[in-house]
Each structure stands twice: as structure tokens, then as C-alpha cells.
Amino acid sequence: MNSTPLRFASLSLPPSPPRRFHHKLPSYGPKSALFFPALFLPPRSCPGRGSRRGRGGPARALDAAQSFDYESRALEDLENRSRLKIAIVGFGNFGQFLARTFAKQGHALLAHSRSDHSVAARSIGVDFYGDPHDLCEQHPDVVILCSSILSSDAVLRSLPFQRLRRSTLFVDVLSVKEFPKNLFLRTLPPHFDILCTHPMFGPESGKHGWADLPFVYEKVRIIDTEERVDRCRRFLDIFAREGCRMVEMSCAEHDENSAESQFLTHTIGRILSKLQLKPTTIATKGYETLLQLEENTCSDSFDLYNGLFMYNYNSTELLERLDMAFDSVKKELLGRLHDIVRKQLFESPDDDDERMAKDS
Ligand code: NAP
């Protein structure tokens, strides 16, 4: 396939038709010809087919143009089919972070948010709608709920579902999972598909790319038609293409695990920020890690942290365990100190001399 432009370079063909998203959709690039060879051959009925190969004669301009047009049209069709129209609802820190990668991959993007983020949206190539009715009238394939955990219920209910296509796929990216799953099941009409996800990284931890970062998801309700199953796969593929570690897991299991991993991490980061730690020229690796942890966690909004606590049953127990663990470490240290002080207070130096004499 790569040799095609060279082979035709000497023929006076019209300029190549635009391959709008070719470079942006790598897994459908030239390599895909290996998997879909039929797409890149002229149809069997095409008069030019086989004439060059069969007779070994020189390529004629007409043959070349037909083959070339067919190939570029097939490629464009394939690219258009992979392209999703994605509406991001909640276009704050994380919504914009996701949009940059979606845009890089060539998807059509729309956004709506409480505040006016139209300037930021334009700079990423996203159409911003202040009114959710206008957004829904664009009939996106996918609506992603990306608002704060605390506001998600109200934000979801503010959307005019009747303006959307009946087959719309709803996705959430909230950092807790059982809550949005139940919210979607309770609120969305039964004809919408539901995918609950948690990209377990953010603008700080994912600033150098998403490779090997975990992406957790549960297909809560994907109606079993080829088109809907394929659309869900294409959405998940956005993250797989970036190299994310794709983890299919129930929302309940996610919340059990993430109380220990995520809520604990954020809590320690928040405690560190209360200490107002400063960098030092003699910082150990461990201390640098603490400063980094503080930066990573405290750059997220307090709403996010609060949501991790309020909307995950397991977080309360974790907070109590943390409290007990801190008490227990303190008791151990202070207990030893106490023993030494008591010894100094109540035992005379003569007692020591006597003990040493006995021992010898
Ligand atoms: P956030 O503080 O959790 O959410 C900010 C977003 O919520 C903004 O779009 C904001 O809209 C909207 N919002 C807040 N209060 C609102 C209200 N009362 N009414 C309507 N909208 C409201 O910060 P975030 O980092 O952008 O996170 C967004 C979502 O992604 C959260 O659910 C979070 O759990 C999830 N997430 C975040 C990360 C991360 O690393 N940051 C990672 C994974 C998942 P306006 O900006 O228009 O005011």
C-alpha cells in the first residue's frame, strides 16, 4: 500500500482526495489493508482488474485512477464509520483533558457545561453549546457525563433526553462507580445504552500519555444489536489505542478497590498539604515522592475529593481505619518514650550498678 503514491507519481492524475482522518486513526491506517484486503481492491466487475497483472503490460492512467479512487473512498468510508460524535457534558478540568485526546483521534466533539467554556472549547476544536437543548439536537452517538460527582444527578436531569436519538450511548467517567450506575439506571429511558467507566488517571498523571494507565469499565446495558455493540467497542477503543490497561470490572468491585487505592491516596495528599511542606536541597527520594503526591492530589478540586468520600460506602470505613492506624503508630512511639522516661525517673543509677555486678 505504501508504494501507491510512488507508482502513480509520474502519471498526471488529479490531486489526491483529502484523507481527512487517516493520520489520526492509526489502527485503521495502512496496516489495516492486511486485515481488510478486499476493501483496497477494485471490484471484480471492474474492467481494469487483472489486466496489468495478467498480461504484465504497463499501467494505464484509467486503471490507476479507478483503483486510486476506489481505495481512497473505501478508506474514507472506513474512517467515517470509526468516527464518533461525542458530547461531553461537564467541560471542566477533566472534560477538557479527555477532549484533547478525542480530538487528536479525529472524533467530532461537542460540549455543554454550567460555565461558559467556549474559548477553551474552540482551541481544542470542540463545538460548545451553552444550552443543553441545542447540544442534544445535534444527535451525538455518545454522551459523556463528566461533571463533578456531587452535581451529576442535577446535571443529568437537566438534559432533554427527548431531543436525543433513542439509541444514544450514555457514558460516565466519575471516580466512583456504583452511584452513577444506579443514577443512570434510575434516570435514563430504557432505550439508551449505558457504559460506566473510570479512567484512573487525570491531567497530572496522564500528562505524558495514557500508556499503561488503568481504564476500568462495566458494560451496564448495551442493547444487543451489531451497531450498538460496535459503537461501544469503538468508544472503548479510544482508550485502548492510547495504550491504556483496559480492566473490565463491576462498579461494586471498583468501589471496594478504589477506597483503598484512590481515597487513601487523596487523603494522604490532603493531609500533607496541611503540613505546608517545603522542598529542600537535601530531600530524600521518599520526601520527593511525598511532595509529588501532594501536587498530584491537590491539583484536583475539593469537590472531587469530597465526592470520593460521600459517594463510596467503603470510604468511611477506610477513614476510620486510617485514624486507628495513626493512633496505633503514635501509641507505639509514645509508649517507648514513656518507658524510657519512667525508667530514668524511678530507677536510681545504683540499681544499674547492682544489675551489672549480678550479670558479670
Ligand atoms: P470536578 O470538580 O469533579 O468537576 C468539575 C466539573 O463539574 C465542571 O465541568 C463543572 O462545570 C461541573 N460542575 C461542578 N459543580 C456543578 C454544578 N453545581 N452544576 C453543574 N455543573 C457543575 O473536577 P474534574 O476534575 O473536572 O472532574 C470531572 C469528573 O471527572 C468528576 O466526576 C471526576 O470524578 C471525574 N474524573 C476526574 C479525574 C481527574 O483526575 N480530575 C479522573 C477521573 C475521573 P463548570 O466548569 O461548567 O462550572
Side-chain angles (χ1 to χ4, degrees):
M1 294 301 301
N2 286 339
S3 63
T4 308
L6 284 178
R7 190 145 49 93
F8 295 147
S10 58
L11 302 172
S12 54
L13 289 173
S16 157
R19 293 183 173 189
R20 275 184 293 159
F21 305 107
H22 187 191
H23 62 292
K24 294 172 179 168
L25 294 165
S27 62
Y28 294 96
K31 266 194 213 155
S32 60
L34 297 172
F35 303 106
F36 304 106
L39 278 171
F40 301 102
L41 288 175
R44 283 189 186 284
S45 57
C46 171
R49 187 184 161 106
S51 59
R52 289 193 304 275
R53 240 190 281 153
R55 293 185 215 131
R60 288 176 300 154
L62 185 62
D63 293 350
Q66 281 175 344
S67 165
F68 188 79
D69 282 352
Y70 190 81
E71 177 194 323
S72 56
R73 240 181 293 126
L75 194 58
E76 201 168 314
D77 273 2
L78 190 63
E79 284 163 353
N80 283 337
R81 269 184 276 134
S82 329
R83 190 182 192 231
L84 289 166
K85 194 179 207 182
I86 302 173
I88 301 175
V89 175
F91 203 58
N93 194 22
F94 195 63
Q96 294 177 28
F97 168 71
L98 288 180
R100 277 183 218 106
T101 297
F102 294 174
K104 186 187 77 181
Q105 288 196 14
H107 299 285
L109 299 176
L110 336 165
H112 161 70
S113 211
R114 171 184 60 170
S115 317
D116 180 9
H117 291 291
S118 51
V119 175
R122 208 172 311 124
S123 73
I124 304 171
V126 175
D127 291 335
F128 188 83
Y129 295 87
D131 187 326
H133 288 258
D134 295 335
L135 177 103
C136 292
E137 278 172 2
Q138 299 304 312
H139 292 166
D141 302 306
V142 182
V143 176
I144 305 184
L145 185 64
C146 198
S147 47
S148 69
I149 300 170
L150 307 182
S151 68
S152 288
D153 192 344
V155 171
L156 186 67
R157 285 175 203 282
S158 73
L159 299 179
F161 301 137
Q162 74 283 3
R163 297 201 186 281
L164 290 162
R165 262 203 294 242
R166 286 170 52 79
S167 63
T168 308
L169 167 63
F170 265 77
V171 178
D172 87 284
V173 291
L174 271 54
S175 308
V176 291
K177 291 276 50 80
E178 277 202 279
F179 164 65
K181 176 180 175 176
N182 294 332
L183 176 68
F184 275 180
L185 286 170
R186 225 178 29 239
T187 315
L188 295 175
H191 43 259
F192 288 163
D193 284 352
I194 300 174
L195 174 68
C196 286
T197 78
H198 184 196
M200 301 207 58
F201 49 89
E204 265 303 311
S205 51
K207 66 181 167 201
H208 301 303
W210 299 358
D212 296 327
L213 298 174
F215 179 89
V216 177
Y217 64 96
E218 181 184 347
K219 294 176 191 168
V220 175
R221 183 174 72 208
I222 306 296
I223 292 170
D224 192 13
T225 67
E226 199 182 327
E227 197 186 329
R228 288 184 176 217
V229 168
D230 184 57
R231 177 181 55 189
C232 177
R233 180 196 59 73
R234 282 186 286 146
F235 180 78
L236 291 172
D237 199 35
I238 295 176
F239 296 88
R241 278 166 196 263
E242 296 298 317
C244 287
R245 190 153 48 79
M246 307 298 285
V247 185
E248 191 163 5
M249 179 185 272
S250 75
C251 291
E253 206 183 335
H254 165 279
D255 282 2
E256 261 172 51
N257 286 305
S258 72
E260 288 222 337
S261 60
Q262 203 184 12
F263 179 65
L264 177 63
T265 309
H266 278 253
T267 303
I268 300 291
R270 295 271 160 190
I271 293 172
L272 292 173
S273 77
K274 300 282 176 207
L275 298 175
Q276 301 186 328
L277 303 174
K278 302 229 167 5
T280 151
T281 47
I282 55 162
T284 59
K285 286 277 168 221
Y287 186 70
E288 279 172 8
T289 308
L290 289 184
L291 293 180
Q292 190 61 53
L293 175 65
E294 183 192 336
E295 194 182 321
N296 277 353
T297 49
C298 295
S299 58
D300 286 329
S301 69
F302 192 82
D303 267 5
L304 196 162
Y305 176 56
N306 195 12
L308 294 178
F309 177 66
M310 296 257 292
Y311 288 87
N312 186 345
Y313 290 115
N314 308 285
S315 297
T316 314
E317 192 205 320
L318 197 279
L319 199 62
E320 277 164 11
R321 279 171 55 206
L322 187 63
D323 210 21
M324 286 191 301
F326 185 56
D327 270 352
S328 149
V329 171
K330 245 175 23 184
K331 270 190 195 131
E332 210 175 325
L333 285 176
L334 296 178
R336 284 179 191 214
L337 183 66
H338 190 244
D339 286 351
I340 292 170
V341 173
R342 281 183 77 99
K343 207 166 138 194
Q344 285 173 355
L345 282 177
F346 296 111
E347 287 179 17
S348 69
D350 298 345
D351 294 344
D352 278 349
D353 292 345
E354 266 175 37
R355 201 177 307 126
M356 276 167 67
K358 256 193 216 159
D359 288 347
S360 61

